[in-house]
Amino acid sequence: FALTPEGRPAAGGLDEQPAPEGGEDDGTVLVEAEGLASRVAPFPVTASKYTALHPVSGGGLIWLRFPISGALGETFVNPADTSGRPTLEHFDLTKARRTELTSVLDGFAASGDGSRLVVNDEGELRVIPSHEPSDSDTTTYIDLRRILHDVDPAAEWRQAYAEAGRVIRAYFWDPGMSGIDWDAVLDQYRPLVERVASPDEFADLLREVLGELGTSHAYVAPARRDEGPPHYQRPIGLLGANLVRTPEGEWRIARILPGDSSDSRARSPLAGAPVREGAVLTHIDARPVDPDRGPAPLLAAAGGTTVELSLRQPSGRRRVAVVPLIDERPLRYQDWVTRRREVVRDLSGGKCGYLHIPDMGGSGWAQFNRDLRMEVARPALIVDVRGNAGGHISELVLEKLTRTILGWDLTRNAQPVSYTSNAPRGPVVAVADEMTSSDGDMIIAAFRLLGRGPVVGARTWGGVVGVTGRHQLGDGTVITVPMNAAWFGGGLGWSVENHGVEPDIEALRTPLDWAEGRHAVLDTAVRVALDLLDRHPASAPPDYSGVPDRRRP
């Protein structure tokens, strides 16, 4: 992108070389290797997530730019939410100018000469120019109904089986395959390929084959076929409320889940509507609610659409229009965290902060940082990683939790701030269970190795041979290859895989505890934290009694 003495655009590279004597230029490109590293320059565009870089005709490049992710609630993403879709952009090398071609797409493919692009928009294909925004005159829609694709499923499964075997052999983390005779394993199961009759049966067979690895993160997802048109695939609608059946056969709204304003996906459809707990749901879209089956059948295929609810309340009958959720997990998760935090506050008399980390990905990091400042401000801290779904940011969490308070910043009319900031003031207790998995295993192992604090609960999942992406086979089946294994010092070695990390103090919540509303694990964790707090008081800011005297002598 530099200027040239001749004032020419910096798009031609080095000076043109003369053609060989007696013939045409054979297309050879000469690259001056000396100083190549110092000539690397970034594109003059804003920092973002870019992928699918591709040259097109006219001396330009195209790429996909994705929005920055990691906001709260993105673990359980709403399938109807297209906010994470990319934007297709064109960059003119001659003018160093970026142009947005379209933001309505999932992916693209370029024509052979780079002049046209085939854009995929939720299964609909259209052809657009590669160097300028399209309009009705330059856009061609492709009628996919005219394309016929004949498949021999048995031949596909034979090919996919062999492909899976090659991929595993090529990328499995241990070149020696952990001592497994992989060719013998493939030969043992290969005759069963001839008996496969459906994508699900083929996936079952591959699960048995990958199971011979004896290693975590070896997953198989079947190819999806013949699931019907989109209007058959609409999800059930969920109201974000707990309903109970009365002895009279009516369905009463026992509780409207409160949700959380910091998570855009954690909001009940009934929140803000003129509906009160205790109201009886009588009709959905003018159809009466069945006394036995309840409202669920009437909400089939209603997720993300508008429905009318008829309710009977003490104030009279009311009709309201709401948009049911297609996924209640963010809403119920935030409610779960809030109630556990209240339990910890009650058990500790307000002395213990509480953090739950749902995963070690973008949304888990967002959840952790949302609550960190307020929770570490309390004398002790409970870090709950029960049910952690794994990911890759345990190191970032550890960096926060292993900070030490070296001093305090005091500002008039403001609360003292610790230095380092957001550091635990006192003891930290981790809580884990058998569903603390993958990178969740690793953070518990790190807790033990660092001596950061005791671990309360149950032995973790035991899966620290991770994956990097997924591989789609020729028939559409998707597999993962265990590619990167974790080894720990301190005597742990390879032992975390297939075993997990033992807690310092075992505590289980029995079915009787659950039925009677007791939180045995959190109760144990809080008692351990308070005992440590008695022996090791929390760091506290100074008062103004010892401030320097700056008067003249």
Side-chain angles (χ1 to χ4, degrees), residues 107-122:
F108 72 89
S111 63
D113 63 358
S115 63
R116 306 282 283 176
L117 304 175
V118 178
V119 170
N120 180 5
D121 176 18
E122 296 182 343

Side-chain angles (χ1 to χ4, degrees), residues 461-478:
W461 183 59
V464 291
V465 179
V467 297
T468 303
R470 289 160 173 77
H471 183 85
Q472 187 172 32
L473 305 175
D475 74 315
T477 302
V478 175

Side-chain angles (χ1 to χ4, degrees), residues 69-85 235 263-265 326-330 359 363:
S69 61
L72 197 62
E74 286 187 355
T75 293
F76 308 121
V77 64
N78 183 334
D81 181 8
T82 59
S83 60
R85 300 178 80 190
D263 186 343
S264 61
R265 296 177 176 88
I326 67 174
D327 189 353
E328 278 186 344
R329 286 178 295 176
D359 59 70
S363 63

Side-chain angles (χ1 to χ4, degrees), residues 204-222:
D204 283 342
L205 174 59
L206 283 187
R207 291 187 187 109
E208 296 293 334
V209 176
L210 270 63
E212 296 284 348
L213 297 171
T215 305
S216 62
H217 295 83
Y219 302 129
V220 180

Side-chain angles (χ1 to χ4, degrees), residues 158-205:
R158 284 191 291 269
Q159 183 277 333
Y161 183 84
E163 182 183 357
R166 289 195 304 271
V167 170
I168 294 290
R169 183 189 297 108
Y171 295 109
F172 188 72
W173 74 271
D174 177 15
M177 296 296 295
S178 297
I180 301 168
D181 187 342
W182 188 239
D183 289 332
V185 169
L186 295 175
D187 290 341
Q188 176 186 353
Y189 286 93
R190 187 172 285 106
L192 295 177
V193 179
E194 304 304 323
R195 300 175 60 181
V196 168
S198 73
D200 290 299
E201 287 187 0
F202 182 66
D204 283 342
L205 174 59

